[in-house]
Amino acid sequence: MDLLRTEYDIQHHLVLSKKNTLHHALIRMIVSTLSTPEELLNLRKRDFRFNKGKNLDYYTVRLSKRGKSRVSPVDRKTFEIIQTMPSQPFTMSEDEMNEIVGLYSPPGKRYNCKRLREAVESILSDSDLFGMDLRDNEEKYAFMLDFNPLYSGFWDLEDEDGVEDFILSYSEVTGTKDWRRISNETGIEVEVVRRVIESGKKSILKFLR
């Protein structure tokens, strides 16, 4: 699968799920920490930590399954969203988690937790995450800050160019130029969508077919 299309698919899930905090948090945890359904079911708010490192402040979460645990970096915004939720944020079954992820899949595709996690892994693997000797959690967080666009805010549409790219890609993938519909479905301000659609620019995804 082309990495640019994979990136779009991940962002599609993140942007469209924003209207539902529980769904959005679930998807963010998978994208931010590569969580599995079992780890999400075992998750508690007390598992999250804010840390002061030598070079930067960072966030971590302890994830557990089958009696084993691991500590993963987690992006700041996901950390903050989880803090607004119940002490056990995710109480649904694996099938229900898969159904939630599937709800926000782009047209013509059907993602579940495993497929979404594999999509993120393919992005990070291209950046050599699994071949690097990252010695501690601060280094792991710094790596994710550089190579996981959720950490930098790009996938959260915190950048003007990122907003334009997403609108163009959304229009290409869904086959619609109806800027009112795009605004309603994505939550992006209607005038911003109208301006991008009427610019006549094309998404790079158009040229990957």
Side-chain angles (χ1 to χ4, degrees), residues 36 84 98 102 157:
T36 66
T84 70
N98 284 330
L157 303 182

Side-chain angles (χ1 to χ4, degrees), residues 30-44:
I30 296 171
V31 175
S32 183
T33 71
L34 301 175
S35 303
T36 66
E38 185 178 349
E39 288 173 332
L40 291 171
L41 182 60
N42 293 330
L43 185 69
R44 303 293 186 274

Side-chain angles (χ1 to χ4, degrees), residues 30-183:
I30 296 171
V31 175
S32 183
T33 71
L34 301 175
S35 303
T36 66
E38 185 178 349
E39 288 173 332
L40 291 171
L41 182 60
N42 293 330
L43 185 69
R44 303 293 186 274
K45 279 168 58 171
R46 64 174 180 266
D47 295 322
F48 290 81
R49 293 286 184 273
F50 168 73
N51 308 272
K52 283 193 168 292
K54 293 179 180 178
N55 300 306
L56 78 164
D57 296 342
Y58 62 100
Y59 304 87
T60 57
V61 59
R62 182 173 297 279
L63 300 166
S64 304
K65 67 176 181 180
R66 297 171 195 164
K68 297 182 179 180
S69 66
R70 65 182 176 97
V71 175
S72 169
V74 60
D75 69 282
R76 176 188 56 81
K77 191 166 183 179
T78 300
F79 174 93
E80 291 174 348
I81 290 172
I82 294 292
Q83 301 314 303
T84 70
M85 299 176 68
S87 58
Q88 185 180 2
F90 309 110
T91 57
M92 69 283 286
S93 68
E94 181 172 350
D95 286 344
E96 289 172 315
M97 292 183 191
N98 284 330
E99 185 65 27
I100 288 170
V101 173
L103 285 174
Y104 303 101
S105 298
K109 296 193 176 185
R110 183 71 176 181
Y111 278 80
N112 56 24
C113 296
K114 183 175 184 290
R115 284 201 65 198
L116 183 59
R117 190 170 63 253
E118 289 173 346
V120 180
E121 286 175 343
S122 71
I123 300 295
L124 298 179
S125 178
D126 192 58
S127 306
D128 202 27
L129 167 68
F130 305 106
M132 296 182 68
D133 181 22
L134 301 174
R135 292 169 295 179
D136 56 34
N137 292 323
E138 184 177 355
E139 286 190 1
K140 292 176 183 177
Y141 186 90
F143 176 89
M144 296 293 261
L145 201 56
D146 285 339
F147 296 108
N148 185 326
L150 185 62
Y151 283 67
S152 67
F154 183 83
W155 278 344
D156 275 325
L157 303 182
E158 293 181 359
D159 172 276
E160 186 175 331
D161 290 336
V163 173
E164 179 179 275
D165 289 346
F166 181 78
I167 293 169
L168 293 173
S169 295
Y170 189 86
S171 176
E172 176 66 25
V173 169
T174 61
T176 181
K177 294 186 180 298
D178 182 337
W179 39 272
R180 291 185 182 86
R181 173 186 161 189
I182 295 172
S183 173

